[in-house]
Amino acid sequence: VLDDRLGWRLLNEWQQDFPLCPAPFAELAGKLGVAENVVLRMLEKLRREGQIARVGAVFAPKRIGASTLAAVAVPPEKLNVVTNAINRFPEVNQNYVREHRYNLWFVVTAGSPGRLQAALGAIEQASGLPVLRLPLLNEYFAESDRRSPVTFDEGLPASAVLDEIGRRLVMALQEGLPFFIRPFSVLASRVGCDEYEVIERIRAWSAEGVIKRFGVVVRRRATDQAVNALLVFDVPDEQLPAAAAAVLREPGVAHCQQRARALPDWPYSLFCTVSAESSQVLQARIDALRRLPLLVAFGSDVLHLQPSAG
């Protein structure tokens, strides 16, 4: 019988700093005080239950590979089925259910733009629904929440960091580590190099910030979040920086994003996550943002979080 305490520790203690050595699961087992096969069985159980997406790399945005925010309009009676179908894709890392016609939102990442488009096409086929693609164009932060050292528009082009072996390794890592005794050896055989090179490339990418973290990738759920909503505006591109600055001066907004429009279905370009300690305060903050002089003339919509499906 698998120990729930072990699952909790894997989910909470090993999202980063995962052992980078030929037998990482054995080293992890030693740190956790259990047998290697117990760790492997628990990780497989967590993946099967949808609590983790994979064990592996989380790449920094625009440093390597490709990613996008995506959404589908799911008939309510099919929400659980569609959510489960989409969650089977290793490229899907997060999902949220929101009050809107486009009610299921998720993030898709892949090793290359071509692989990203292939994954989105496969998701459309599996769900039977068109997928709204909303890639990130820019991100704005309040001065008190400024992120460092890498921002979304400072990344190196993929061609500056990837040779053919590197490209293959990124694609292989997208699936996560295979749950075998020597997982890096399995990756090496897929990529066409030796085990040592796989481990050293991952170490180098981690040191350079190309990989943000290496470890257990937990599927984030709406229930993990504070009371919040997504507020979106149709702001002309030339007015976006000023509009974002105005939004970030308001309480409850730490950052906002410019994302590509998906016309004609989605005209909105400015995305703001608004947080509050209660639903009443949240609504008051949303109303105040919509009344800002720089935003009052533009179309907007609000998408409240609902408990995650699946």
Side-chain angles (χ1 to χ4, degrees):
V1 177
L2 294 175
D3 184 359
D4 288 341
R5 169 77 179 166
L6 174 61
W8 185 91
R9 291 191 67 186
L10 287 168
L11 289 170
N12 289 277
E13 297 176 12
W14 292 101
Q15 293 186 34
Q16 56 189 358
D17 300 326
F18 199 81
L20 294 177
C21 61
F25 298 116
E27 182 165 329
L28 182 60
K31 294 178 183 295
L32 292 168
V34 297
E36 181 182 24
N37 71 313
V38 173
V39 168
L40 290 169
R41 285 167 52 210
M42 177 57 78
L43 288 170
E44 182 57 48
K45 177 175 182 285
L46 294 172
R47 183 168 62 183
R48 187 174 61 250
E49 293 174 349
Q51 296 190 60
I52 67 173
R54 64 186 183 279
V55 174
V58 175
F59 289 97
K62 291 193 176 182
R63 292 299 299 270
I64 202 168
S67 66
T68 188
L69 179 65
V72 288
V74 186
E77 67 276 10
K78 296 183 178 179
L79 190 56
N80 284 341
V81 172
V82 172
T83 300
N84 289 334
I86 289 175
N87 278 348
R88 292 191 185 100
F89 288 85
E91 295 87 355
V92 174
N93 295 325
Q94 306 169 23
N95 68 72
Y96 305 92
V97 180
R98 297 187 180 275
E99 287 183 348
H100 195 270
R101 182 170 77 87
Y102 285 102
N103 51 354
L104 181 59
W105 291 71
F106 49 98
V107 175
V108 186
T109 62
S112 68
R115 188 174 175 86
L116 177 65
Q117 294 308 314
L120 289 164
I123 289 169
E124 287 183 326
Q125 187 172 20
S127 65
L129 298 166
V131 174
L132 205 64
R133 295 154 166 83
L134 304 166
L136 182 71
L137 300 179
N138 206 345
E139 190 153 27
Y140 306 94
F141 292 100
E143 287 301 324
S144 61
D145 194 51
R146 181 73 58 184
R147 308 298 169 88
S148 63
V150 177
T151 61
F152 281 90
D153 55 352
E154 292 176 345
L156 298 173
S159 60
V161 295
L162 287 183
D163 55 13
E164 180 60 22
I165 293 294
R167 187 187 67 81
R168 291 178 188 170
L169 180 56
V170 169
M171 295 175 70
L173 285 172
Q174 193 59 52
E175 306 292 333
L177 291 185
F179 293 159
F180 294 113
I181 293 173
R182 301 284 291 261
F184 296 113
S185 179
V186 175
L187 290 184
S189 66
R190 294 176 185 171
V191 169
C193 64
D194 61 35
E195 180 183 58
Y196 174 80
E197 183 174 353
V198 166
I199 294 171
E200 287 306 305
R201 282 185 183 245
I202 293 171
R203 282 193 180 129
W205 286 341
S206 298
E208 294 165 5
V210 171
I211 291 177
K212 291 198 299 184
R213 59 185 178 85
F214 196 96
V216 176
V217 180
V218 177
R219 288 195 186 277
R220 293 172 57 191
R221 304 283 183 146
T223 51
D224 295 335
Q225 309 302 305
V227 179
N228 69 67
L230 177 64
L231 179 60
V232 293
F233 292 91
D234 179 11
V235 179
D237 291 352
E238 66 274 10
Q239 298 185 45
L240 269 165
V247 167
L248 290 169
R249 286 193 287 268
E250 297 298 306
V253 184
H255 73 282
C256 54
Q257 301 169 333
Q258 177 189 3
R259 290 188 174 273
R261 297 175 174 86
L263 299 173
D265 297 312
W266 191 264
Y268 307 109
S269 56
L270 184 62
F271 286 57
C272 317
T273 300
V274 188
S275 302
E277 59 272 20
S278 69
S279 298
Q280 292 78 12
V281 174
L282 178 64
Q283 189 58 54
R285 289 178 174 177
I286 290 169
D287 293 342
L289 286 164
R290 284 174 146 169
R291 291 194 298 266
L292 287 174
L294 284 174
L295 291 170
V296 69
F298 302 130
S300 65
D301 206 345
V302 61
L303 298 91
H304 289 278
L305 279 172
Q306 288 294 299
S308 285

